[in-house]
């Protein structure tokens, strides 16, 4: 899978509020009411990640969860990262 | 809850293989067969954390999970951190 050009990354990010580029990856921090709600979100992300066979880095800080996506095999950002980011955010709505 | 003296921390760590002191906290990285197994461990940790009302930082990197424990209210390591670390590791055996 080919990495995206910077212009493609910018265009894809424009449709993903809350996500930003950071060191060859995209990331977003989500805030929840409490720790159990954060853990429920992590489980939903895990199901989507397994289905996509693409796994974000996940950092849990009490009621905050930060996801970080990149395509290690391709050495950068690919459509796979944005597909999973969109799937995760659709799940939130 | 009072923070532990360095000698108490050393003694407590001696009984917790894999855990080490790092920047005012204790941490351990666990390795699992795959991502779903790592997520199952995170859910077990989350249940113990809710029961203790004490919540580790949790970093998930595919099949690796790093836990970091400190007592923010006390400004350092307390018995609470070691109790939860022991409860988590007992769950693994």
């Amino acid at each position: 899978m080919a990495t995206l050009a910077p212009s493609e990354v910018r265009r894809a990010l424009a449709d993903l509020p809350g996500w930003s580029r950071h060191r060859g990856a995209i990331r977003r921090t989500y805030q929840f009411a409490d720790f159990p709600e954060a853990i429920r979100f992590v489980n939903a992300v895990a199901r989507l990640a397994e289905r996509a066979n693409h796994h974000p880095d996940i950092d849990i800080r009490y009621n905050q969860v930060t996801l970080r996506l990149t395509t290690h095999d391709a050495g950068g950002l690919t459509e796979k990262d944005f597909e999973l980011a969109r799937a995760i955010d659709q799940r939130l709505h």
Side-chain angles (χ1 to χ4, degrees), chain A:
Chain A
M1 181 162 269
T3 57
L4 298 177
S7 62
E8 294 173 304
V9 169
R10 276 194 299 276
R11 208 173 310 134
L13 279 175
D15 290 329
L16 282 170
W19 288 86
S20 59
R21 194 171 188 167
H22 182 73
R23 295 187 183 177
I26 54 171
R27 69 174 178 184
R28 180 173 174 182
T29 298
Y30 302 81
Q31 183 141 344
F32 300 96
D34 52 23
F35 180 74
E37 201 183 297
I39 292 293
R40 278 193 290 277
F41 173 70
V42 168
N43 279 291
V45 169
R47 282 189 292 273
L48 292 168
E50 273 296 286
R51 201 176 302 161
N53 194 26
H54 194 49
H55 302 83
D57 289 349
I58 303 173
D59 291 358
I60 307 167
R61 300 288 178 275
Y62 188 57
N63 67 332
Q64 289 199 330
V65 179
T66 297
L67 304 182
R68 185 178 171 280
L69 276 163
T70 190
T71 307
H72 295 287
D73 293 351
L77 287 164
T78 68
E79 189 48 45
K80 249 178 131 168
D81 300 307
F82 289 96
E83 270 170 25
L84 184 53
R86 282 190 289 265
I88 290 166
D89 284 3
Q90 274 163 18
R91 188 257 161 206
L92 284 176
H93 297 302

